[in-house]
Structures are given as structure tokens and as C-alpha cells.
Amino acid sequence: MILLDANVLIYAYDRGSRHNSYMRAWLSPLAPWVPQPTDRHIDVIDRILESTSAHANDIPDVHLAALALEHGLKLYSTDADFAKYADVTWINPLEER
């Protein structure tokens, strides 16, 4: 299973985006599922924050990274900032073309 960052969904929604057709086709076979934080969520977030130089603007990304780690998910995003989370498997779907 995979976890999507919002930018992937925005590209699929924004018909003016040059990535719109590709992202709509890429997303079409996926079944939606929203992972929920586990009992370990705060501990995982703490571990990520201690091992990176994350700042206030990074907290939403840290939350997604923690969800990915908790559920063993690959995180798909066009945001290269996810590369700094060493334990997270981050994939840019636009680079898969």
C-alpha cells in the first residue's frame, strides 16, 4: 500500500497542470484508504524530529512520514523534502514516467 502527499492529488485535480493527465491515469487504479495514527504515533514523530533538522513548516511532512513508518507504506510525493527522512521509502511519481 502507499501513502499520498496532497501535491499528488492536486496535480490530478488541477486540469491546468502539465502533470494532470499523467497523475489522473496514475491514480485511477488505486483504492482509497486513509491510514490512522497508531498508539506509537507520537513516539515515531519524536524519533523523526530528533534525527532531522525539521522545523515548524516540516511538521505536516513529519506526520506523513510517521504514518508511512507506522503502517509500512511507501510515501509518494513530488516534494523532495521527504528525502531527509532516512527510514521512509519516498518515491516521486513524476520520476517514474
Side-chain angles (χ1 to χ4, degrees), residues 37-92:
T38 68
D39 294 339
R40 310 179 303 129
H41 194 66
I42 297 300
D43 293 332
V44 175
I45 285 177
D46 285 344
R47 193 176 81 229
I48 293 169
L49 290 173
E50 290 171 1
S51 67
T52 64
S53 60
H55 300 292
N57 291 344
D58 298 316
I59 298 304
D61 289 352
V62 169
H63 170 68
L64 287 179
L67 286 173
L69 292 172
E70 290 172 85
H71 294 281
L73 305 172
K74 294 178 181 174
L75 183 84
Y76 281 75
S77 176
T78 60
D79 182 351
D81 285 346
F82 284 104
K84 68 181 163 192
Y85 307 119
D87 295 336
V88 174
T89 301
W90 165 66
I91 299 166
N92 182 341

Side-chain angles (χ1 to χ4, degrees), residues 5 8-9 13 15 20 38 45 56 72 84 86-87 92-93 96:
D5 189 10
V8 173
L9 300 173
Y13 177 79
R15 295 197 186 272
N20 177 261
T38 68
I45 285 177
K84 68 181 163 192
D87 295 336
N92 182 341
E96 291 187 326

